[in-house]
Amino acid sequence: MSGELSLSINIKEPRWDQGTFMGRAKHFFMVTDPRNVLLSSETLEEARVIVENYRSGIVKSGLTEDELWRAKYVYDSAFHPDTGEKMFVIGRMSAQVPMNMSITGCMLTFYRTTPAVVFWQWVNQSFNAVVNYTNRSGDAPITVNQLGAAYVSATTGAVVTALGLKSLATRLPPIVSRFVPFAAVAAANCINIPFMRQRELKYGIPVTDENGNRLGESAYAAKQAIVQVVVSRIGMAVPAMGNVTNCVAVWTTPFCSSLVFATPLCCALFPQKSSMSVSGLEPDLQERIKQTSPHTTTVYFNKGL
């Protein structure tokens, strides 16, 4: 070991207690900080080296605990937790606020013609597809054909659903029609996320014991993970849809600042390292776990974001 910093700090887990909403909120405020998008490739690489070296027992000379945690959160904001690959910049959760502000502003501005509505709905759902793929769970590779098919089905289904629901607004009472855009966004999320993560539903996602030992792959865990992500994403849409009837003032209302809070707070609704009972897994996986790890009663998995 080199350097003065202790190697006992567990940077594999977040800095704050993930068993409480407040702890998860603090964690996601760091991960989704929009300023992380502006970090240079050199800064990201430096953070990666610090984190990976520390995990290997190598401490940079003069490194403090606060600097270590800062490097960990810079790393977490840009690198996938399962594959370790650098994530596409607009797919990172730290890009949610600036991207959603831009796209939602355009959707609320260019809504007078059908082509404009279709175009911006497609842009929105394409962005969502990128985010959903970037923040998927698991480390299994996906082919270009599989990714292309998932993208087409996700964006087409979501756009058609959103436009279909929005068309109802002209035939409903005004007080009811105000909620149609939110229903459209919610329905689109229910389609886009499962389609972009359909491989997980088919083949499962890795599940581990409390020590991180991989026990197998579970489609049941994938279903729970995707449901939790859908709920969180619908919550993130509330600030935008709350201003849908006042698009002229959208850039001067609390809309912009509310997105900064909505993204981490909705991510914090569920722990990123989710869990479920072994009894809730597929029967064959239950049997395998009973044989290889008989004392394990709960499994853990990355739910994605």
Side-chain angles (χ1 to χ4, degrees):
M1 170 181 171
S2 61
E4 301 175 355
L5 190 64
S6 169
L7 283 172
S8 63
I9 302 171
N10 184 13
I11 61 170
K12 292 182 179 180
E13 300 293 337
R15 189 171 192 175
W16 297 279
D17 179 13
Q18 297 300 283
T20 67
F21 177 78
M22 186 58 67
R24 296 194 297 272
K26 290 179 179 179
H27 167 70
F28 283 113
F29 266 108
M30 294 290 290
V31 173
T32 66
D33 187 339
R35 294 173 296 181
N36 290 337
V37 176
L38 303 177
L39 297 176
S40 66
S41 297
E42 291 75 15
T43 300
L44 297 179
E45 180 62 18
E46 181 182 5
R48 184 189 67 80
V49 170
I50 290 174
V51 169
E52 292 185 353
N53 281 350
Y54 185 85
R55 289 173 177 173
S56 301
I58 303 171
V59 181
K60 178 182 176 182
S61 179
L63 185 70
T64 67
E65 182 173 348
D66 284 340
E67 289 172 341
L68 174 64
W69 281 112
R70 173 58 183 162
K72 178 235 181 348
Y73 276 104
V74 168
Y75 176 87
D76 285 352
S77 74
F79 294 88
H80 193 277
D82 292 328
T83 66
E85 297 174 350
K86 184 186 290 187
M87 296 184 286
F88 186 47
V89 63
I90 68 170
R92 301 172 193 168
M93 293 309 291
S94 54
Q96 279 282 298
V97 172
M99 290 299 297
N100 273 326
M101 283 170 55
S102 302
I103 294 174
T104 303
C106 290
M107 290 175 67
L108 298 180
T109 302
F110 305 107
Y111 65 94
R112 298 183 184 278
T113 66
T114 299
V117 171
V118 171
F119 174 76
W120 285 108
Q121 279 288 348
W122 171 76
V123 169
N124 183 45
Q125 293 307 324
S126 294
F127 167 66
N128 288 338
V130 170
V131 174
N132 296 334
Y133 173 73
T134 302
N135 294 279
R136 67 197 183 281
S137 175
D139 53 8
I142 182 170
T143 67
V144 174
N145 288 339
Q146 290 173 329
L147 183 58
Y151 168 75
V152 171
S153 56
T155 54
T156 302
V159 168
V160 169
T161 300
L163 291 175
L165 286 173
K166 283 191 173 184
S167 68
L168 293 175
T170 59
R171 300 191 294 272
L172 294 173
I175 192 170
V176 177
S177 64
R178 290 183 180 181
F179 294 95
V180 171
F182 177 74
V185 169
N189 273 305
C190 291
I191 293 173
N192 197 312
I193 295 173
F195 269 117
M196 287 306 298
R197 295 177 60 174
Q198 58 186 276
R199 193 183 191 288
E200 300 172 35
L201 294 171
K202 185 176 182 180
Y203 298 105
I205 58 176
V207 294
T208 69
D209 62 17
E210 60 181 359
N211 297 316
N213 299 310
R214 192 160 176 166
L215 301 173
E217 289 73 36
S218 171
Y220 288 8
K223 292 177 183 178
Q224 176 176 308
I226 290 173
V227 167
Q228 291 177 347
V229 171
V230 168
V231 172
S232 296
R233 293 291 185 79
I234 291 174
M236 291 180 200
V238 171
M241 295 302 105
N243 289 275
V244 74
T245 59
N246 191 18
C247 62
V248 174
V250 71
W251 300 111
T252 56
T253 60
F255 165 62
C256 297
S257 59
S258 65
L259 275 178
V260 176
F261 292 94
T263 300
L265 292 179
C266 289
C267 283
L269 291 175
F270 308 98
Q272 184 167 356
K273 185 179 179 181
S274 194
S275 63
M276 66 186 301
S277 171
V278 170
S279 62
L281 299 172
E282 296 88 330
D284 60 330
L285 183 54
Q286 289 185 43
E287 289 301 318
R288 199 185 322 158
I289 292 175
K290 287 178 182 178
Q291 293 175 7
T292 60
S293 185
H295 300 296
T296 299
T297 58
T298 303
V299 295
Y300 302 87
F301 50 91
N302 169 32
K303 72 174 177 62
L305 289 175

